Amino acid sequence: MQGNNNTFAFHKDLTATMREGLRGSGLPFQRETTGQLPYNQVTGTQYNVQNLIPLAIAAEKAAKEQGIPAKDADMRFMTLKQANSQGLSVMQGAKATKIAFLTWTDKEPVLGQNGEPEVSEDGKQKMQAVQLDKPILRAGNLFHAWDIKGNGLQYGRGKSAEENEAALDRAEALIKASGAVIVHDPKVKEAFYDRFKDRINMPPVDSFPSREALIGETVNQLAHWTGHESRLDRQSGPNGSSYRSREELTTGLGAWAVLNSLGVTGATFDSRNRHVPGMDKLLEGSQYEAMRCCKAADQIRDHLMGLERKKDITAEVSQEAELEAGSRTVTEGKPTHEMPSMQVMTPEQELAKAIQDAGLELGGKPVIWTGETVVLEKGKGTYSATKDVIPEATIRNHETGIRVSWVASGHKLTTEAVKMQEKKTQTVRKERQTKREQAKAAEKSLEAKMPPPAKSKGQSRGLGL
Protein backbone atom coordinates (compact mmCIF):
# COMPACT_ATOMS: atom_id res chain seq x y z
CA MET A 1 0.00 0.00 0.00
CA GLN A 2 1.61 3.20 -1.16
CA GLY A 3 0.52 6.75 -1.71
CA ASN A 4 0.11 8.33 -5.09
CA ASN A 5 3.65 9.10 -6.28
CA ASN A 6 2.37 12.21 -8.05
CA THR A 7 1.62 13.66 -4.62
CA PHE A 8 5.30 14.01 -3.83
CA ALA A 9 5.67 16.60 -6.59
CA PHE A 10 3.22 18.83 -4.68
CA HIS A 11 6.04 20.68 -2.89
CA LYS A 12 7.50 21.61 -6.27
CA ASP A 13 4.15 22.84 -7.56
CA LEU A 14 3.57 24.87 -4.40
CA THR A 15 7.03 26.44 -4.65
CA ALA A 16 6.45 27.37 -8.29
CA THR A 17 3.01 28.83 -7.51
CA MET A 18 4.30 30.95 -4.64
CA ARG A 19 7.34 32.21 -6.56
CA GLU A 20 5.15 33.13 -9.53
CA GLY A 21 2.83 35.06 -7.21
CA LEU A 22 5.66 36.88 -5.46
CA ARG A 23 7.18 37.95 -8.76
CA GLY A 24 3.81 38.84 -10.28
CA SER A 25 0.62 40.31 -8.86
CA GLY A 26 1.31 39.04 -5.36
CA LEU A 27 0.02 36.20 -3.22
CA PRO A 28 -3.31 36.34 -1.32
CA PHE A 29 -1.57 37.21 1.96
CA GLN A 30 -0.12 40.37 0.36
CA ARG A 31 -3.58 41.80 -0.32
CA GLU A 32 -6.40 43.02 1.90
CA THR A 33 -8.01 40.28 3.92
CA THR A 34 -11.43 39.18 2.68
CA GLY A 35 -12.69 37.60 5.89
CA GLN A 36 -13.01 34.19 4.27
CA LEU A 37 -10.88 31.18 3.34
CA PRO A 38 -11.41 28.30 0.89
CA TYR A 39 -13.45 25.43 2.33
CA ASN A 40 -15.12 22.22 1.22
CA GLN A 41 -18.75 22.90 0.36
CA VAL A 42 -19.93 19.40 1.29
CA THR A 43 -17.93 18.62 4.44
CA GLY A 44 -17.10 22.11 5.65
CA THR A 45 -13.41 21.12 5.86
CA GLN A 46 -11.02 23.98 6.58
CA TYR A 47 -7.71 23.39 4.81
CA ASN A 48 -4.09 23.75 5.92
CA VAL A 49 -2.12 26.73 4.67
CA GLN A 50 -0.20 24.79 2.03
CA ASN A 51 -3.57 23.95 0.42
CA LEU A 52 -5.16 27.33 1.12
CA ILE A 53 -2.65 29.14 -1.10
CA PRO A 54 -3.42 27.34 -4.41
CA LEU A 55 -7.14 27.19 -3.58
CA ALA A 56 -7.34 30.92 -2.81
CA ILE A 57 -5.51 31.69 -6.05
CA ALA A 58 -7.95 29.48 -7.97
CA ALA A 59 -10.91 31.26 -6.35
CA GLU A 60 -9.47 34.68 -7.20
CA LYS A 61 -8.90 33.58 -10.80
CA ALA A 62 -12.49 32.38 -11.11
CA ALA A 63 -13.74 35.70 -9.69
CA LYS A 64 -11.59 37.65 -12.14
CA GLU A 65 -12.99 35.68 -15.09
CA GLN A 66 -16.48 36.60 -13.90
CA GLY A 67 -15.57 40.26 -13.43
CA ILE A 68 -15.95 40.00 -9.66
CA PRO A 69 -13.54 41.67 -7.16
CA ALA A 70 -11.19 39.22 -5.46
CA LYS A 71 -12.59 40.19 -2.06
CA ASP A 72 -15.97 38.77 -3.11
CA ALA A 73 -14.62 35.50 -4.53
CA ASP A 74 -16.65 32.34 -3.95
CA MET A 75 -14.50 30.14 -1.71
CA ARG A 76 -16.38 26.83 -2.09
CA PHE A 77 -14.66 23.71 -3.43
CA MET A 78 -15.55 20.03 -3.77
CA THR A 79 -14.31 16.84 -5.34
CA LEU A 80 -15.85 15.22 -8.42
CA LYS A 81 -17.25 12.43 -6.25
CA GLN A 82 -18.80 14.93 -3.84
CA ALA A 83 -20.37 16.85 -6.73
CA ASN A 84 -21.92 13.66 -8.09
CA SER A 85 -23.23 12.77 -4.62
CA GLN A 86 -25.09 16.09 -4.62
CA GLY A 87 -26.63 15.41 -8.02
CA LEU A 88 -24.24 17.90 -9.66
CA SER A 89 -21.58 17.52 -12.34
CA VAL A 90 -18.26 19.11 -13.22
CA MET A 91 -18.24 21.20 -16.40
CA GLN A 92 -16.33 19.84 -19.35
CA GLY A 93 -12.81 21.24 -19.58
CA ALA A 94 -12.76 22.35 -15.92
CA LYS A 95 -9.31 22.27 -14.32
CA ALA A 96 -8.97 20.93 -10.79
CA THR A 97 -6.71 22.40 -8.10
CA LYS A 98 -4.40 19.79 -6.59
CA ILE A 99 -4.02 19.51 -2.82
CA ALA A 100 -1.99 17.16 -0.61
CA PHE A 101 -3.06 15.45 2.58
CA LEU A 102 -2.21 12.60 4.94
CA THR A 103 -4.57 9.67 5.39
CA TRP A 104 -4.58 6.91 8.01
CA THR A 105 -6.68 4.51 5.91
CA ASP A 106 -6.13 2.62 2.68
CA LYS A 107 -7.79 -0.12 0.66
CA GLU A 108 -6.51 -3.63 0.10
CA PRO A 109 -7.91 -6.73 -1.68
CA VAL A 110 -10.25 -9.04 0.23
CA LEU A 111 -8.58 -12.46 0.42
CA GLY A 112 -10.47 -15.74 0.46
CA GLN A 113 -9.71 -18.82 2.55
CA ASN A 114 -7.18 -19.95 -0.05
CA GLY A 115 -5.35 -16.64 0.21
CA GLU A 116 -6.40 -15.54 -3.26
CA PRO A 117 -8.16 -12.18 -3.91
CA GLU A 118 -11.96 -12.49 -4.00
CA VAL A 119 -13.92 -11.26 -7.01
CA SER A 120 -17.48 -9.90 -6.97
CA GLU A 121 -20.28 -11.04 -9.30
CA ASP A 122 -19.50 -8.24 -11.77
CA GLY A 123 -15.93 -9.49 -12.09
CA LYS A 124 -14.34 -6.69 -10.04
CA GLN A 125 -11.88 -7.37 -7.28
CA LYS A 126 -13.32 -6.93 -3.79
CA MET A 127 -11.61 -4.26 -1.68
CA GLN A 128 -11.78 -3.41 2.00
CA ALA A 129 -10.73 -0.39 4.07
CA VAL A 130 -7.84 -0.90 6.48
CA GLN A 131 -6.34 1.24 9.25
CA LEU A 132 -2.65 2.09 8.80
CA ASP A 133 0.07 2.25 11.45
CA LYS A 134 1.67 5.14 9.57
CA PRO A 135 -0.12 7.71 7.38
CA ILE A 136 0.49 7.92 3.65
CA LEU A 137 0.71 11.03 1.52
CA ARG A 138 -2.00 11.40 -1.08
CA ALA A 139 -3.05 13.91 -3.71
CA GLY A 140 -6.57 15.23 -4.07
CA ASN A 141 -8.28 17.24 -6.78
CA LEU A 142 -10.78 19.96 -5.90
CA PHE A 143 -13.04 21.84 -8.29
CA HIS A 144 -14.14 25.41 -7.67
CA ALA A 145 -17.84 26.16 -7.28
CA TRP A 146 -17.77 27.92 -10.65
CA ASP A 147 -16.82 24.61 -12.32
CA ILE A 148 -19.77 22.73 -10.80
CA LYS A 149 -22.75 22.74 -13.16
CA GLY A 150 -25.98 23.71 -11.40
CA ASN A 151 -24.23 24.68 -8.16
CA GLY A 152 -25.20 28.35 -8.17
CA LEU A 153 -22.52 30.96 -7.57
CA GLN A 154 -22.26 33.01 -4.40
CA TYR A 155 -20.27 35.98 -5.62
CA GLY A 156 -20.50 39.51 -4.35
CA ARG A 157 -22.53 38.82 -1.24
CA GLY A 158 -20.29 40.89 0.99
CA LYS A 159 -20.75 41.30 4.74
CA SER A 160 -23.05 43.56 6.66
CA ALA A 161 -21.69 46.31 8.90
CA GLU A 162 -22.82 44.28 11.92
CA GLU A 163 -20.89 41.21 10.74
CA ASN A 164 -17.76 43.25 10.16
CA GLU A 165 -18.00 44.82 13.60
CA ALA A 166 -18.50 41.39 15.19
CA ALA A 167 -15.36 40.10 13.42
CA LEU A 168 -13.31 43.07 14.63
CA ASP A 169 -14.62 42.61 18.17
CA ARG A 170 -13.63 38.96 17.97
CA ALA A 171 -10.13 39.87 16.79
CA GLU A 172 -9.68 42.40 19.60
CA ALA A 173 -10.80 39.78 22.13
CA LEU A 174 -8.18 37.37 20.77
CA ILE A 175 -5.47 40.04 20.99
CA LYS A 176 -6.42 40.69 24.60
CA ALA A 177 -6.53 36.96 25.38
CA SER A 178 -2.94 36.56 24.13
CA GLY A 179 -1.57 38.47 27.10
CA ALA A 180 1.12 39.93 24.84
CA VAL A 181 2.77 43.16 25.98
CA ILE A 182 1.77 45.78 23.38
CA VAL A 183 3.11 49.32 23.71
CA HIS A 184 1.89 52.26 21.59
CA ASP A 185 4.73 54.76 21.50
CA PRO A 186 4.67 58.15 19.66
CA LYS A 187 8.36 57.61 18.83
CA VAL A 188 7.61 54.37 16.96
CA LYS A 189 6.95 54.99 13.26
CA GLU A 190 6.62 51.36 12.19
CA ALA A 191 5.38 48.42 14.25
CA PHE A 192 7.90 45.75 15.27
CA TYR A 193 8.28 42.88 17.69
CA ASP A 194 11.20 43.09 20.13
CA ARG A 195 12.23 39.47 20.70
CA PHE A 196 14.68 40.31 23.51
CA LYS A 197 12.12 42.21 25.58
CA ASP A 198 9.26 40.00 24.31
CA ARG A 199 7.26 43.13 23.54
CA ILE A 200 5.28 44.44 20.57
CA ASN A 201 6.02 48.09 19.80
CA MET A 202 3.32 49.95 17.87
CA PRO A 203 2.79 53.52 16.63
CA PRO A 204 0.02 55.51 18.36
CA VAL A 205 -3.48 54.15 17.85
CA ASP A 206 -4.66 57.33 16.13
CA SER A 207 -1.90 57.00 13.50
CA PHE A 208 -3.72 54.07 11.88
CA PRO A 209 -6.21 55.01 9.15
CA SER A 210 -8.84 52.52 10.32
CA ARG A 211 -9.74 49.98 12.97
CA GLU A 212 -9.07 47.25 10.39
CA ALA A 213 -5.54 48.56 9.78
CA LEU A 214 -4.79 48.65 13.51
CA ILE A 215 -6.07 45.12 14.09
CA GLY A 216 -4.34 43.80 10.98
CA GLU A 217 -0.94 45.12 12.04
CA THR A 218 -1.43 43.97 15.64
CA VAL A 219 -2.25 40.40 14.56
CA ASN A 220 0.71 40.56 12.19
CA GLN A 221 3.00 41.39 15.11
CA LEU A 222 1.32 38.71 17.22
CA ALA A 223 2.37 36.23 14.55
CA HIS A 224 5.98 37.34 15.11
CA TRP A 225 5.35 37.18 18.88
CA THR A 226 4.56 33.45 18.60
CA GLY A 227 8.16 32.86 17.48
CA HIS A 228 9.54 33.55 20.98
CA GLU A 229 11.44 30.62 22.50
CA SER A 230 8.77 30.26 25.19
CA ARG A 231 6.12 29.70 22.52
CA LEU A 232 6.78 28.26 19.02
CA ASP A 233 10.53 28.95 19.12
CA ARG A 234 11.36 30.13 15.60
CA GLN A 235 14.60 31.78 14.52
CA SER A 236 14.74 35.18 12.84
CA GLY A 237 17.58 37.50 11.82
CA PRO A 238 18.52 40.87 10.31
CA ASN A 239 16.87 42.25 7.17
CA GLY A 240 18.12 40.55 4.03
CA SER A 241 19.06 37.30 5.77
CA SER A 242 17.45 33.97 4.91
CA TYR A 243 16.29 33.73 8.53
CA ARG A 244 14.38 37.01 8.27
CA SER A 245 12.93 36.12 4.86
CA ARG A 246 11.69 32.81 6.25
CA GLU A 247 10.16 34.53 9.27
CA GLU A 248 8.43 37.19 7.16
CA LEU A 249 6.96 34.61 4.78
CA THR A 250 5.87 32.38 7.66
CA THR A 251 4.25 35.14 9.71
CA GLY A 252 2.65 36.68 6.62
CA LEU A 253 0.91 33.42 5.83
CA GLY A 254 0.03 32.84 9.49
CA ALA A 255 -1.44 36.31 10.08
CA TRP A 256 -3.40 36.07 6.81
CA ALA A 257 -4.89 32.73 7.89
CA VAL A 258 -5.77 34.04 11.37
CA LEU A 259 -7.39 37.29 10.22
CA ASN A 260 -9.50 35.52 7.61
CA SER A 261 -10.44 32.79 10.08
CA LEU A 262 -11.72 35.55 12.36
CA GLY A 263 -13.71 37.03 9.48
CA VAL A 264 -11.79 40.34 9.40
CA THR A 265 -12.02 42.21 6.08
CA GLY A 266 -9.87 45.07 4.82
CA ALA A 267 -6.79 44.39 6.98
CA THR A 268 -3.34 44.88 5.43
CA PHE A 269 0.34 45.02 6.43
CA ASP A 270 2.17 46.51 3.45
CA SER A 271 5.54 46.78 5.23
CA ARG A 272 6.11 43.11 4.42
CA ASN A 273 6.46 43.83 0.69
CA ARG A 274 10.06 45.00 1.10
CA HIS A 275 10.95 41.41 1.99
CA VAL A 276 9.51 39.93 -1.22
CA PRO A 277 12.90 39.64 -3.03
CA GLY A 278 14.33 37.79 -0.03
CA MET A 279 11.30 35.47 0.09
CA ASP A 280 11.68 34.64 -3.60
CA LYS A 281 15.39 33.92 -3.14
CA LEU A 282 14.60 31.72 -0.15
CA LEU A 283 12.12 29.63 -2.15
CA GLU A 284 14.57 29.39 -5.02
CA GLY A 285 17.19 27.91 -2.68
CA SER A 286 15.13 24.89 -1.63
CA GLN A 287 11.99 23.31 -3.04
CA TYR A 288 10.92 22.38 0.49
CA GLU A 289 10.96 25.91 1.95
CA ALA A 290 7.39 26.68 0.84
CA MET A 291 6.11 23.61 2.69
CA ARG A 292 8.16 24.45 5.78
CA CYS A 293 6.82 28.00 5.91
CA CYS A 294 3.23 26.78 5.42
CA LYS A 295 3.69 24.26 8.22
CA ALA A 296 4.98 26.96 10.56
CA ALA A 297 2.08 29.22 9.49
CA ASP A 298 -0.38 26.47 10.48
CA GLN A 299 1.25 26.39 13.90
CA ILE A 300 0.83 30.16 14.21
CA ARG A 301 -2.85 29.89 13.33
CA ASP A 302 -3.36 26.99 15.74
CA HIS A 303 -1.58 28.86 18.53
CA LEU A 304 -3.43 32.15 18.14
CA MET A 305 -6.85 30.63 17.45
CA GLY A 306 -6.22 28.37 20.43
CA LEU A 307 -6.16 31.49 22.60
CA GLU A 308 -9.77 32.07 21.62
CA ARG A 309 -10.65 28.49 22.51
CA LYS A 310 -9.01 28.90 25.93
CA LYS A 311 -11.17 31.97 26.49
CA ASP A 312 -14.27 29.93 25.57
CA ILE A 313 -13.25 27.14 27.95
CA THR A 314 -12.92 29.67 30.79
CA ALA A 315 -16.46 30.85 30.06
CA GLU A 316 -17.68 27.24 30.00
CA VAL A 317 -16.13 26.55 33.41
CA SER A 318 -17.92 29.60 34.81
CA GLN A 319 -21.17 28.38 33.29
CA GLU A 320 -20.71 24.93 34.81
CA ALA A 321 -20.28 26.58 38.21
CA GLU A 322 -23.50 28.50 37.61
CA LEU A 323 -25.34 25.30 36.71
CA GLU A 324 -24.01 23.59 39.82
CA ALA A 325 -25.20 26.52 41.94
CA GLY A 326 -28.61 26.24 40.28
CA SER A 327 -28.74 22.54 41.11
CA ARG A 328 -28.06 23.27 44.77
CA THR A 329 -30.83 25.88 44.74
CA VAL A 330 -33.30 23.26 43.51
CA THR A 331 -32.20 20.94 46.31
CA GLU A 332 -32.89 23.73 48.79
CA GLY A 333 -36.46 23.88 47.53
CA LYS A 334 -36.39 27.15 45.56
CA PRO A 335 -38.47 27.31 42.34
CA THR A 336 -36.51 26.93 39.10
CA HIS A 337 -38.13 29.98 37.48
CA GLU A 338 -36.14 32.16 39.90
CA MET A 339 -32.86 30.88 38.41
CA PRO A 340 -31.84 32.66 35.17
CA SER A 341 -29.61 29.77 34.10
CA MET A 342 -32.41 27.19 34.29
CA GLN A 343 -34.50 27.41 31.11
CA VAL A 344 -37.37 25.33 29.83
CA MET A 345 -35.72 24.31 26.52
CA THR A 346 -34.14 20.91 26.06
CA PRO A 347 -30.49 20.79 24.85
CA GLU A 348 -31.78 19.88 21.38
CA GLN A 349 -34.09 22.88 21.30
CA GLU A 350 -31.42 25.18 22.69
CA LEU A 351 -28.84 24.05 20.10
CA ALA A 352 -31.39 24.39 17.30
CA LYS A 353 -31.98 27.99 18.39
CA ALA A 354 -28.22 28.69 18.53
CA ILE A 355 -27.87 27.32 15.00
CA GLN A 356 -30.74 29.54 13.88
CA ASP A 357 -29.15 32.57 15.57
CA ALA A 358 -26.02 31.86 13.53
CA GLY A 359 -28.07 32.22 10.34
CA LEU A 360 -28.47 28.48 9.68
CA GLU A 361 -31.24 25.89 9.82
CA LEU A 362 -31.33 22.25 10.93
CA GLY A 363 -33.94 21.60 8.27
CA GLY A 364 -36.08 19.49 10.58
CA LYS A 365 -33.30 16.93 11.09
CA PRO A 366 -32.48 15.61 14.59
CA VAL A 367 -29.36 16.81 16.37
CA ILE A 368 -26.35 14.48 16.03
CA TRP A 369 -24.28 14.35 19.23
CA THR A 370 -21.41 12.13 18.07
CA GLY A 371 -18.94 14.97 17.51
CA GLU A 372 -18.83 14.49 13.75
CA THR A 373 -19.11 17.50 11.44
CA VAL A 374 -22.69 17.88 10.18
CA VAL A 375 -23.20 19.88 6.98
CA LEU A 376 -26.13 22.31 6.94
CA GLU A 377 -27.97 23.75 3.93
CA LYS A 378 -25.71 22.14 1.29
CA GLY A 379 -22.50 23.55 2.70
CA LYS A 380 -23.69 26.95 3.89
CA GLY A 381 -22.52 25.98 7.36
CA THR A 382 -21.68 23.14 9.74
CA TYR A 383 -21.93 22.12 13.37
CA SER A 384 -20.34 19.43 15.55
CA ALA A 385 -21.91 18.58 18.91
CA THR A 386 -21.16 16.31 21.88
CA LYS A 387 -22.70 15.53 25.26
CA ASP A 388 -19.48 15.07 27.21
CA VAL A 389 -20.83 15.92 30.70
CA ILE A 390 -22.45 19.13 29.40
CA PRO A 391 -23.83 19.36 25.84
CA GLU A 392 -21.66 21.63 23.70
CA ALA A 393 -21.14 22.38 20.02
CA THR A 394 -19.20 24.44 17.52
CA ILE A 395 -21.31 26.16 14.86
CA ARG A 396 -19.83 27.71 11.71
CA ASN A 397 -21.59 29.80 9.09
CA HIS A 398 -19.21 29.69 6.11
CA GLU A 399 -21.00 32.49 4.28
CA THR A 400 -20.78 35.03 7.09
CA GLY A 401 -17.64 33.74 8.81
CA ILE A 402 -19.52 33.45 12.12
CA ARG A 403 -18.16 30.82 14.53
CA VAL A 404 -20.12 30.04 17.70
CA SER A 405 -18.88 27.94 20.62
CA TRP A 406 -22.17 26.87 22.22
CA VAL A 407 -22.62 25.31 25.66
CA ALA A 408 -26.01 24.15 26.97
CA SER A 409 -27.30 26.29 29.82
CA GLY A 410 -30.89 25.13 30.28
CA HIS A 411 -30.56 21.78 32.01
CA LYS A 412 -28.62 19.65 34.45
CA LEU A 413 -27.76 16.00 33.81
CA THR A 414 -28.63 13.39 36.42
CA THR A 415 -25.82 11.90 38.50
CA GLU A 416 -26.09 8.63 36.60
CA ALA A 417 -26.00 10.44 33.24
CA VAL A 418 -22.98 12.44 34.31
CA LYS A 419 -21.09 9.27 35.25
CA MET A 420 -21.92 7.69 31.90
CA GLN A 421 -20.84 10.82 30.02
CA GLU A 422 -17.63 11.08 32.05
CA LYS A 423 -16.78 7.48 31.18
CA LYS A 424 -17.50 8.18 27.52
CA THR A 425 -15.44 11.38 27.67
CA GLN A 426 -12.42 9.55 29.09
CA THR A 427 -12.63 6.99 26.29
CA VAL A 428 -12.89 9.69 23.62
CA ARG A 429 -9.99 11.63 25.12
CA LYS A 430 -7.78 8.51 25.15
CA GLU A 431 -8.64 7.83 21.52
CA ARG A 432 -7.85 11.42 20.54
CA GLN A 433 -4.57 11.34 22.47
CA THR A 434 -3.56 8.14 20.70
CA LYS A 435 -4.31 9.69 17.31
CA ARG A 436 -2.33 12.83 18.20
CA GLU A 437 0.66 10.73 19.23
CA GLN A 438 0.44 8.71 16.02
CA ALA A 439 0.25 11.90 13.96
CA LYS A 440 3.30 13.38 15.71
CA ALA A 441 5.29 10.20 15.16
CA ALA A 442 4.31 10.16 11.49
CA GLU A 443 5.22 13.82 11.09
CA LYS A 444 8.67 13.22 12.57
CA SER A 445 9.14 10.34 10.14
CA LEU A 446 8.25 12.60 7.22
CA GLU A 447 10.50 15.40 8.48
CA ALA A 448 13.44 13.00 8.59
CA LYS A 449 13.09 12.47 4.84
CA MET A 450 13.32 16.21 4.09
CA PRO A 451 16.66 18.00 3.74
CA PRO A 452 17.21 20.67 6.42
CA PRO A 453 17.36 24.39 5.53
CA ALA A 454 20.83 25.40 4.38
CA LYS A 455 23.00 26.58 7.28
CA SER A 456 19.96 27.15 9.47
CA LYS A 457 19.56 26.49 13.15
CA GLY A 458 15.89 27.44 13.06
CA GLN A 459 13.27 24.82 13.63
CA SER A 460 11.55 23.24 10.66
CA ARG A 461 8.49 21.21 11.42
CA GLY A 462 7.98 19.22 8.25
CA LEU A 463 5.38 18.93 5.58
CA GLY A 464 2.43 20.13 7.64
CA LEU A 465 -0.12 18.03 5.84
Side-chain angles (χ1 to χ4, degrees):
M1 295 174 292
Q2 295 181 351
N4 185 344
N5 291 332
N6 292 332
T7 309
F8 293 96
F10 179 82
H11 65 283
K12 296 181 180 179
D13 294 338
L14 179 63
T15 298
T17 298
M18 292 181 66
R19 291 195 67 199
E20 182 181 353
L22 288 171
R23 296 193 303 267
S25 59
L27 291 170
F29 81 86
Q30 294 174 274
R31 293 186 275 277
E32 284 191 355
T33 57
T34 62
Q36 56 179 351
L37 291 169
Y39 67 95
N40 189 293
Q41 180 179 344
V42 177
T43 64
T45 297
Q46 302 290 316
Y47 298 101
N48 287 344
V49 172
Q50 96 251 337
N51 291 326
L52 286 175
I53 294 297
L55 291 174
I57 291 174
E60 290 181 357
K61 182 179 178 181
K64 184 177 180 180
E65 291 177 358
Q66 290 290 303
I68 304 295
K71 65 182 182 65
D72 295 327
D74 192 329
M75 290 294 183
R76 298 174 300 155
F77 288 83
M78 69 173 76
T79 65
L80 173 61
K81 185 176 180 180
Q82 289 170 338
N84 293 339
S85 71
Q86 301 292 309
L88 304 170
S89 61
V90 176
M91 295 181 184
Q92 187 174 2
K95 184 178 180 181
T97 300
K98 188 178 289 294
I99 64 170
F101 61 95
L102 288 175
T103 178
W104 287 86
T105 61
D106 199 2
K107 290 185 178 180
E108 65 178 18
V110 176
L111 303 179
Q113 294 181 350
N114 60 358
E116 295 295 325
E118 292 187 0
V119 179
S120 60
E121 294 180 357
D122 58 3
K124 295 182 178 180
Q125 186 173 283
K126 291 183 179 180
M127 302 295 289
Q128 61 182 352
V130 293
Q131 194 73 21
L132 303 175
D133 294 329
K134 296 180 179 180
I136 53 178
L137 190 62
R138 288 194 183 279
N141 293 305
L142 293 175
F143 290 93
H144 184 255
W146 184 46
D147 295 319
I148 307 297
K149 189 183 299 183
N151 198 29
L153 297 179
Q154 295 180 356
Y155 287 129
R157 177 188 175 278
K159 292 187 176 183
S160 67
E162 291 77 13
E163 290 170 339
N164 285 330
E165 286 299 308
L168 294 173
D169 289 343
R170 184 181 170 190
E172 288 181 343
L174 183 147
I175 293 169
K176 183 177 180 181
S178 73
V181 177
I182 303 175
V183 178
H184 289 272
D185 187 345
K187 298 179 181 178
V188 174
K189 302 302 179 184
E190 185 176 297
F192 68 96
Y193 167 62
D194 187 332
R195 183 181 293 263
F196 298 102
K197 295 181 179 180
D198 194 18
R199 182 175 71 187
I200 295 173
N201 296 279
M202 300 276 289
V205 173
D206 57 11
S207 68
F208 289 88
S210 64
R211 187 182 177 195
E212 288 84 355
L214 172 60
I215 288 176
E217 188 56 62
T218 305
V219 171
N220 175 39
Q221 295 305 323
L222 271 182
H224 286 285
W225 170 86
T226 64
H228 191 267
E229 60 183 11
S230 65
R231 289 178 278 276
L232 299 181
D233 192 15
R234 293 188 309 274
Q235 187 173 358
S236 186
N239 287 340
S241 68
S242 60
Y243 302 111
R244 183 59 178 272
S245 298
R246 185 179 296 115
E247 173 70 1
E248 291 295 334
L249 181 55
T250 295
T251 53
L253 293 168
W256 169 74
V258 169
L259 287 164
N260 282 305
S261 295
L262 293 170
V264 175
T265 62
T268 60
F269 21 87
D270 297 333
S271 61
R272 193 183 310 279
N273 291 335
R274 75 167 71 97
H275 299 282
V276 166
M279 295 177 190
D280 184 50
K281 184 177 180 180
L282 176 74
L283 297 179
E284 183 183 23
S286 171
Q287 292 182 333
Y288 290 101
E289 279 293 352
M291 297 290 279
R292 289 191 180 98
C293 291
C294 287
K295 167 62 179 176
D298 279 320
Q299 292 178 331
I300 289 174
R301 178 170 62 168
D302 291 344
H303 185 89
L304 292 181
M305 297 303 291
L307 299 174
E308 184 178 51
R309 177 58 183 159
K310 287 180 182 178
K311 177 172 64 66
D312 292 339
I313 290 175
T314 301
E316 291 169 13
V317 171
S318 299
Q319 198 165 32
E320 286 187 42
E322 182 185 0
L323 284 169
E324 183 61 32
S327 178
R328 287 197 297 270
T329 306
V330 173
T331 304
E332 293 166 4
K334 295 183 180 180
T336 58
H337 62 76
E338 292 182 3
M339 295 176 288
S341 66
M342 299 296 285
Q343 301 175 8
V344 181
M345 289 191 292
T346 65
E348 287 76 10
Q349 292 171 331
E350 192 176 345
L351 176 55
K353 184 178 184 302
I355 290 174
Q356 189 175 42
D357 291 343
L360 301 166
E361 293 292 341
L362 272 173
K365 296 179 180 179
V367 173
I368 297 176
W369 297 100
T370 60
E372 64 184 276
T373 299
V374 181
V375 180
L376 301 172
E377 300 183 56
K378 295 184 177 181
K380 180 180 177 182
T382 60
Y383 79 89
S384 58
T386 60
K387 279 187 176 180
D388 295 346
V389 182
I390 289 181
E392 59 181 341
T394 299
I395 307 165
R396 292 183 175 87
N397 187 321
H398 300 306
E399 289 188 352
T400 64
I402 291 175
R403 177 184 180 278
V404 178
S405 295
W406 169 85
V407 180
S409 61
H411 82 297
K412 184 72 176 177
L413 296 176
T414 64
T415 302
E416 183 180 357
V418 168
K419 289 180 179 179
M420 290 179 63
Q421 293 296 346
E422 286 178 343
K423 185 176 181 180
K424 178 181 176 182
T425 301
Q426 291 175 359
T427 301
V428 171
R429 285 174 179 168
K430 288 180 180 179
E431 290 175 352
R432 290 174 180 170
Q433 180 62 29
T434 300
K435 288 182 178 180
R436 281 196 294 268
E437 291 174 353
Q438 289 176 336
K440 287 181 180 179
E443 186 175 302
K444 288 182 179 179
S445 176
L446 285 169
E447 282 184 344
K449 298 178 182 179
M450 295 173 58
K455 300 180 181 179
S456 173
K457 297 180 181 178
Q459 292 191 358
S460 300
R461 294 175 170 81
L463 293 176
L465 300 174

